[in-house]
Amino acid sequence: MKLFLKIFSSFSFSEKRTFLYVLFFTLIVGFLETLSIGSLIPMVSILAEDNTTNNINLLNPILKSISPLNYLGTELNSNNQTILFFGALTLVFLLLIIKTIFLQFANYIKFDFIFLLKKNISKKIFLFYLKTDYLNFSKQNSSEYLRNISIEVSNYINLVSTYYTIIFEFLFLFGIIFILLIINPFQI
């Protein structure tokens, strides 16, 4: 955690703002990811002919209203379980499309942030080397300067990207646990 705070404090104000923007979209994507997995539960319970969805009075009208069978004809509307199943299937499909769109947008913002961060850090290091005294500059091998500008910056960016991935996976895990607790709460 200290390393993450040290990395975050090394960002400029605009980089911090962009990073928080990326985290906000990550939170939305994590929520949509969890919701899309949680939306499979009504579909599976309908297939298993479990009465779990019948106990949720709020879910049945939603599933019935988005079911494509409502728009095909009255002769197909006789089976309530079929309507609920196709409504749940439509819900899963819509959530996956929305999640995919948000995921693509969040990845675009993430990679744009990483590219700008890499560019800014490389520029800062390069300007630092340009401002150093010539005698000190000439004492070191030029390959060290190139290594610091390219490889060390890439290592730093990989570290930032790893922390981003850890945050995303933690949010996703928290969401899955939250859904599991809603579906089957602890019996006290």
Side-chain angles (χ1 to χ4, degrees):
M1 188 66 178
K2 286 183 180 181
L3 182 60
F4 175 72
L5 292 176
K6 190 182 273 190
I7 289 170
F8 188 71
S9 66
S10 71
F11 292 165
S12 68
F13 177 75
S14 64
E15 290 168 345
K16 286 179 184 178
R17 187 182 60 209
T18 306
F19 184 74
L20 292 176
Y21 189 61
V22 168
L23 283 181
F24 174 72
F25 275 100
T26 301
L27 183 67
I28 291 174
V29 168
F31 174 74
L32 289 173
E33 189 85 36
T34 305
L35 196 61
S36 66
I37 289 176
S39 67
L40 292 174
I41 294 169
M43 191 171 66
V44 171
S45 67
I46 291 169
L47 279 177
E49 295 183 15
D50 188 10
N51 289 329
T52 306
T53 56
N54 292 333
N55 295 335
I56 305 173
N57 293 332
L58 178 69
L59 190 60
N60 284 344
I62 294 172
L63 293 179
K64 286 179 183 179
S65 67
I66 63 172
S67 177
L69 293 181
N70 289 332
Y71 308 107
L72 293 178
T74 57
E75 66 274 354
L76 295 174
N77 290 338
S78 60
N79 190 353
N80 191 32
Q81 289 293 103
T82 307
I83 293 172
L84 289 176
F85 173 74
F86 278 102
L89 188 65
T90 305
L91 179 69
V92 169
F93 183 70
L94 289 174
L95 284 173
L96 287 176
I97 288 175
I98 292 169
K99 179 196 69 140
T100 302
I101 291 169
F102 267 95
L103 186 62
Q104 292 299 321
F105 185 67
N107 280 336
Y108 172 76
I109 292 172
K110 173 191 164 191
F111 290 125
D112 188 47
F113 167 72
I114 287 175
F115 174 75
L116 289 175
L117 185 64
K118 186 174 183 176
K119 183 184 83 165
N120 289 342
I121 292 171
S122 298
K123 183 178 176 181
K124 286 178 188 177
I125 292 173
F126 185 69
L127 290 175
F128 174 77
Y129 287 148
L130 285 178
K131 292 178 184 178
T132 58
D133 186 30
Y134 180 73
L135 292 175
N136 291 335
F137 186 78
S138 62
K139 287 180 185 176
Q140 284 188 326
N141 192 356
S142 63
S143 64
E144 287 184 36
Y145 295 120
L146 290 174
R147 177 184 55 100
N148 288 342
I149 291 175
S150 61
I151 295 175
E152 295 301 325
V153 170
S154 293
N155 289 339
Y156 179 79
I157 296 301
N158 287 338
L159 184 66
V160 170
S161 182
T162 301
Y163 273 114
Y164 172 81
T165 304
I166 289 171
I167 290 170
F168 177 75
E169 295 297 327
F170 176 74
L171 289 173
F172 182 66
L173 179 67
F174 179 73
I176 295 291
I177 291 171
F178 183 72
I179 282 184
L180 289 175
L181 288 176
I182 287 176
I183 291 171
N184 193 9
F186 291 120
Q187 302 298 325
I188 299 176

